[in-house]
Amino acid sequence: MNALSAPRGMHDLVAPGSEIRQRLEHTLIELAHNYGFFPIRTPLAEQLELFKRSVGETTDIVEKEMYLLQQEGSRQLALRPENTAGCVRALLQHSLPLPQKLYYLGPMFRYERPQAGRYRQFHQFGVEFFGGEAPVADCEIIALCCAIWNRLGMNPRLEINYLGSREERRAFNRKLVAFLQRHEDRLDSDSRKRLGRNPLRVLDSKHPDTLALLDHAPNLHDFLQPQSRAAFEELQQGLNRLGIAYTINPRLVRGLDYYNDLVFEWTSEHLGAQAAVCAGGRYDQLCADLGGGGAPATGFALGLERLGLILESGGLLSPPPQADAVLVWANQGDAFDKLDLLTQLRAALPRMRVVGVTGNMHKQLNKADKLGARLALIVGASERESGQVTLKYLREEKEQTTIPLATLASHFQPEPAD
Ligand code: HAM
């Protein structure tokens, strides 16, 4: 029998990677909180219909990448490939009042060809800001991205584009299709398929022949009406005022259909072909498209695996210590005596990871050091006799001290503020 393994493109995460991820998640949650966002949790599966009507029936995601669930008798369910649609569905289903600033963290599923930075189960941290008007809300979520990069010591590049309204895009689409049809023989095979189904996505091609042709294609920005031009200008001024650097990429179109006006992507040279670590934009029509009242909306999602790859290649990830404090004891008593002592120490030091190791006391001290612990909690024969514990600081220039076990908790409590 073949050994069982995780499905292709889906991965286990074990320590220290799992702990590094968890710390990253805490940082993201803290910053989202700081920016006034609240957590939302939506199901991992939604009706397939939801993604058809939001992400778009002719997108690669819905056409080729959905995980469909077999169910008898009821509507077809799909594992979520992204969570903007789910958030809009929840907003409408629960008639949540506006504004709503939501964030989420969790797995998404796309049946893609796996490669570095591209997986079939991956994890996103995302924010959705409902009821936030352009361009201030857009600038606010982009500022949140900047706060994340600053906190993590990263420096990705921001590209933005302005798609305008549906009418403007339709006018552009007509001209683009006419142009591409005239030069269909110069298109790569993927772009030829896209031309029939979703012509805007041809702009996304990486094929050199198609790219050369696109240099002469109509430009989306020429189809923007004065109102959209002014709004785009205002957005750029907003970013400038916040000191956020960006480049305008008129070919940035994104693989999801719900966007209007602003779209953006943060890319990093550490990621190779899958360069986008974070992406988003405005989607003012989506609530109405899904049967609700209109609501201005903007958001982004960042891929945690790609974030990890960037941090790793930049040497920005330090594995956390495997223990904060280690019990070093004189081996009196049995395993339950040791567990009893550990239980007391853990109750006294609830914010620390307190572990026990084996061997003689010298070996135990060595192991404590290897685990990266700050503190050795020594209970030798004399401490045990007197109900005390000796605190030996392994990383700080601090005197070793012996204190009653009963005062351990208060010893590590922060001094009350004046
Ligand atoms: P997206 O561009 O499809 O947008 O995905 C956002 C991020 O998720 C990407 O930049 C990338 O870091 C990560 N990602 C996407 N696919 C994969 C994959 N197969 N493997 C690993 N990482 C991946 C959205 O999902 C939109 N819902 C973003 C949004 C929120 N727009 C408005 N609000």
Side-chain angles (χ1 to χ4, degrees), residues 16-27:
S18 49
E19 193 155 68
I20 291 174
R21 170 74 64 80
Q22 207 167 333
R23 287 201 313 176
L24 262 181
E25 291 176 354
H26 282 151
T27 302

Side-chain angles (χ1 to χ4, degrees), residues 8-9 65 110-120 274:
R8 194 161 123 77
E65 297 170 4
R110 297 184 193 175
Y111 187 75
E112 299 197 76
R113 205 163 44 79
Q115 61 183 78
R118 188 163 75 190
Y119 313 104
R120 290 180 174 171
Q274 307 302 319

Side-chain angles (χ1 to χ4, degrees), residues 12-148:
D12 299 312
L13 202 50
V14 297
S18 49
E19 193 155 68
I20 291 174
R21 170 74 64 80
Q22 207 167 333
R23 287 201 313 176
L24 262 181
E25 291 176 354
H26 282 151
T27 302
L28 296 169
I29 289 171
E30 195 184 303
L31 287 166
H33 184 89
N34 182 231
Y35 270 69
F37 286 84
F38 289 83
I40 179 169
R41 297 194 186 187
T42 59
L44 295 193
E46 297 273 359
Q47 289 175 22
L48 172 62
E49 181 72 14
L50 173 68
F51 301 115
K52 286 189 175 173
R53 286 171 57 186
S54 54
V55 173
E57 221 158 339
T58 59
T59 56
D60 284 355
I61 294 178
V62 170
E63 271 192 343
K64 303 185 208 158
E65 297 170 4
M66 302 298 284
Y67 278 92
L68 302 177
L69 301 182
Q70 294 252 326
Q71 266 201 142
E72 261 178 51
S74 54
R75 288 192 218 170
Q76 184 135 46
L77 297 185
L79 291 184
R80 62 185 189 187
E82 61 100 60
N83 201 27
T84 307
C87 287
V88 175
R89 197 259 316 126
L91 181 90
L92 300 179
Q93 182 175 342
H94 305 291
S95 308
L96 300 180
L98 298 180
Q100 280 289 327
K101 295 173 81 175
L102 308 173
Y103 76 83
Y104 49 85
L105 262 166
M108 310 291 155
F109 303 85
R110 297 184 193 175
Y111 187 75
E112 299 197 76
R113 205 163 44 79
Q115 61 183 78
R118 188 163 75 190
Y119 313 104
R120 290 180 174 171
Q121 177 178 331
F122 58 98
H123 298 78
Q124 284 185 344
F125 162 77
V127 309
E128 311 295 346
F129 187 171
F130 297 104
E133 296 287 349
V136 179
D138 302 303
C139 289
E140 185 174 356
I141 62 163
I142 291 176
L144 169 55
C145 294
C146 294
I148 294 170

Side-chain angles (χ1 to χ4, degrees), residues 21 24 28 105-106 108 117 119 122-126 149 152 154 266 271 276-279 300-311:
R21 170 74 64 80
L24 262 181
L28 296 169
L105 262 166
M108 310 291 155
Y119 313 104
F122 58 98
H123 298 78
Q124 284 185 344
F125 162 77
W149 314 141
L152 298 175
M154 299 166 51
W266 292 89
L271 285 177
V277 60
C278 172
F300 69 77
L302 75 81
L304 296 183
E305 286 80 2
R306 292 189 192 175
L307 190 66
L309 288 173
I310 298 174
L311 293 171

